[in-house]
Amino acid sequence: MIALKLGVTADDVKNVIIWGNHSSTQYPDVNHAKVKLHGKEVGVYEALKDDSWLKGEFISTVQQRGAAVIKARKLSSAMSAAKAIADHVRDIWFGTPEGEFVSMGVISDGNSYGVPDDLLYSFPVVIKNKTWKFVEGLPINDFSREKMDLTAKELTEEKETAFEFLSSA
């Protein structure tokens, strides 16, 4: 979506973060994203100059993408999931390029972003020697904090529901 809006290829956009759950609370964050425009790398916010689109339509479209694929195809979005798996395998095998990170659902233990431990939560990670580690120290503004907390709350509730179900079975 960012690439289309700016008239570049997807390869020209990097470091977009998907925080949290794979659901309608996932938070696509471009605060740390870069785009190559006219041979120069600039921040996505600076390039787009459209705060309302980035905080509105962009987020809601990404959050509802899976449902939109299912509605349009009248079939599952399994190919989307398969592509994501292939991308993750590629990233684990080859690592992330210097200065770039990817978003990956990993165990939240030990993160520096205030996400509770024991959740599978999507974070920005770098991968080297087939090992991932959190990208540390990214500043988080109030808007992002609220979105990140909302998706963590949903995951915590889902985890509690699963444990309740398992303990009653």
Side-chain angles (χ1 to χ4, degrees):
M1 287 181 66
I2 299 293
L4 284 171
K5 189 108 168 139
L6 291 169
V8 299
T9 68
D11 287 341
D12 291 325
V13 181
K14 66 181 186 181
N15 297 349
V16 175
I17 301 168
I18 301 292
W19 296 100
N21 198 2
H22 186 260
S23 74
S24 63
T25 65
Q26 68 184 305
Y27 169 49
D29 177 4
V30 297
N31 286 296
H32 309 287
K34 303 285 184 196
V35 61
K36 189 185 292 184
L37 281 177
H38 315 297
K40 186 174 121 182
E41 199 171 83
V42 296
V44 166
Y45 262 93
E46 177 188 340
L48 280 173
K49 298 177 179 74
D50 192 345
D51 196 55
S52 65
W53 182 80
L54 285 168
K55 288 183 175 179
E57 182 182 341
F58 170 68
I59 291 173
S60 61
T61 300
V62 171
Q63 289 174 331
Q64 299 301 323
R65 182 180 180 281
V69 169
I70 291 167
K71 182 178 177 187
R73 294 187 67 228
K74 311 285 189 270
L75 294 168
S76 117
S77 58
M79 284 305 294
S80 245
K83 170 74 168 103
I85 291 166
D87 288 348
H88 279 338
V89 169
R90 178 205 59 222
D91 293 336
I92 290 168
W93 188 256
F94 295 107
T96 49
E98 191 67 33
E100 294 185 29
F101 50 79
V102 294
S103 295
M104 193 172 281
V106 297
I107 192 70
S108 59
D109 297 6
N111 77 86
S112 62
Y113 295 103
V115 175
D117 283 351
D118 298 321
L119 297 177
L120 281 175
Y121 187 103
S122 179
F123 288 93
V125 300
V126 292
I127 303 165
K128 188 172 185 172
N129 299 322
K130 298 178 181 59
T131 302
W132 65 267
K133 69 177 200 168
F134 295 113
V135 173
E136 300 288 352
L138 295 174
I140 304 298
N141 63 29
D142 291 342
F143 180 83
S144 294
R145 174 86 274 145
E146 181 181 319
K147 299 289 186 191
M148 291 165 65
D149 289 349
L150 180 65
T151 195
K153 180 179 183 283
E154 180 185 53
L155 279 166
T156 300
E157 290 168 356
E158 287 178 2
K159 178 182 154 188
E160 289 168 359
T161 300
F163 280 131
E164 287 171 16
F165 176 77
L166 290 172
S167 67
S168 69

